[in-house]
Amino acid sequence: MSVRVGLAQLNLRLGDLDGNAAMVIAAYDEAVGAGARVVVFSELTVTGYPPEDLLLKPAFVDGAAAALERIAQHTGDVPAVVGFPEDTGRDGPVRLWNSAALCWGGAVRGVFRKHLLPNYAVFDEQRYFVPGTDAGPLLTVGDVRVGVSVCEDLWGPPRTADASPEDGGLPSIVGGEADTSPALAQVAMGAQLLVNLNGSPYRRGKQADREAVARTRAAALGVPVVYVNQVGGQDELVFDGSSFVADASGQVICRLEAFAPQVAVCEVPLAGEAAAAGGVLAAPPDPLEEVWQALVVATRDYVRKNGFSDVAVGLSGGIDSSAVAAIAADALGPEHVHGVSMPSRYSSEGSRTDAAELAANLGIDFRTVPIERAHVALAGMLEASAGTGPADADPAHDRAAADLTDQNLQSRIRGVLLMALSNRFGWLVLTTGNKTETSVGYTTLYGDTAGAYAVIRDVPKLLVYELCRWRNRQGDGERIPEACIDKPPSAELRPDQRDDQSLPPYELLDPLVEAYVEGDLSAAEMLEQPELLDQYGLLDQYGTDPDVVHRITRLVDIAEYKRRQSPPGPRITAKSFGKDRRMPITNFFR
């Protein structure tokens, strides 16, 4: 016996209750038309995920209920499993369930309420929801009984949906006292198939973890597992979809494409039955392709869902602005990307020509706005008050302060010009800072942080290089000039400037930042327990220099105020700045 299950992997618009309802109805009809006997959607389908403090607005919750009612009224004999926020009717600040509605025959016939509410990483569900306590009701599809759960319910503490081991640590706890998943009770109640609704944001390597957990569950419980996730960008998060089915033996027999809306029907065999041939089984993307797709989808959705069509990018001829421009061109089409070169007296001729070549390769608009006149004028105005002018003309004053002031002045002039073009033409400005530089504050507040979306904010510097090289291998020509990739990185804000004059080599800096930011290691732990750095490759390459460790961790700490005032960007690592990492600005812990 088998069940034809429709997997509806949709790019929902958060808060667009009417639009989402229409999308769900269309997907339901498509799946039913393809022979589905049950159609499964993602977590909080009606609202989109995560709705955050919109859930505190009664009108929003009431509107979601009305949209769910319209969806339910449209259903026929084929059930639809649809996520929605359900009002408990209780008094108090937390009065919702994160629920899945079981709809057929024109009505909501049953509701499953999420048991396990994640409150780590980017998740904050205990702020809004109370846990469900009933494992039922089971859904009947023909003669098959189906257990329904929501996201974290499949995992169960003490492991979480961001667990790093590939198997999520499940084999040691499945079926034991520590296993709190409602899936156990559902199987005990007679469930022959489990469906799991998800709002699972992307991070590198997460799909392998998800599939390992679902395979472990399926094999341990002896029932197939259907996992449906949403797709698309939502502010700092991007969802990859990658919905799949694991059969009762733990083999993945169906997988939808990553980062693409898709409705597919999978013939799911029950325990003891062989899988049908010819199902949808998309291959997982290459690891670098996966990250590139995440950045492209996140950028496209942020721009378009916020009502913009075009973007502006400041082009310096360096690796970071080149990567952002290439991502934007892939996301929006080159006709919607405007590259702006803003050379100063310190910009090399090579950087100017590299920026122009990049724009030509990408087919994007390119314009040049020199900043020399503004630089001279503002430096002169500042000289009268602060006694600081251009560094190469100011030998009488504190050189370090004058030099830094002049560098930041150039960056802020460029920020002003980009925002002026944004005002004039309605373009959304993309910033170009990477995670490594953002970590240590190697950015100018109100200068290169000026903009609306930080495309590579969570991409370490060395990964930026890998992504650019990957993009150039995709068969449509050299998109990013080799000169942009090969040149030593430099902000070009003073003569002969290079990044390694101010920062350690990125081969050291990237893993050190990862250990401190993503690994939550303190400087003392790195120095007193150096074995903790093994997984970051620091010991083999560089060892631990106390001066470097203390300096870099201190730079990360004091740059917190800058990050709070910088635009959001898509999360692609295990811990990004923003939702993931909430550190105090005023902080004396070292």
Side-chain angles (χ1 to χ4, degrees), residues 489-503:
S490 170
E492 291 195 334
L493 296 171
R494 58 177 168 78
D496 302 319
Q497 185 179 27
R498 298 189 319 275
D499 287 6
D500 61 10
Q501 294 167 340
S502 303
L503 299 172

Side-chain angles (χ1 to χ4, degrees), residues 308-333:
F308 290 83
S309 62
D310 288 42
V311 296
V313 183
L315 297 184
S316 66
I319 190 71
D320 295 322
S321 63
S322 298
V324 170
I327 291 164
D330 283 357
L332 305 169

Side-chain angles (χ1 to χ4, degrees), residues 31-118:
V32 171
R37 300 309 304 155
V38 59
V39 186
V40 184
F41 294 85
S42 56
E43 182 175 7
L44 293 177
T45 323
V46 175
T47 61
Y49 189 88
E52 299 183 303
D53 279 9
L54 287 174
L55 293 168
L56 303 181
K57 296 180 178 291
F60 179 75
V61 176
D62 291 345
L68 176 65
E69 184 64 25
R70 290 195 295 277
I71 293 168
Q73 288 173 354
H74 183 79
T75 57
D77 294 338
V78 175
V81 185
V82 181
F84 77 106
E86 182 186 6
D87 196 330
T88 66
R90 304 172 185 173
D91 293 329
V94 182
R95 49 175 302 181
L96 300 175
W97 285 301
N98 185 340
S99 298
L102 317 181
C103 310
W104 72 90
V108 175
R109 305 290 179 176
V111 174
F112 171 84
R113 292 155 183 154
K114 185 175 183 178
H115 287 209
L116 305 178
L117 303 176

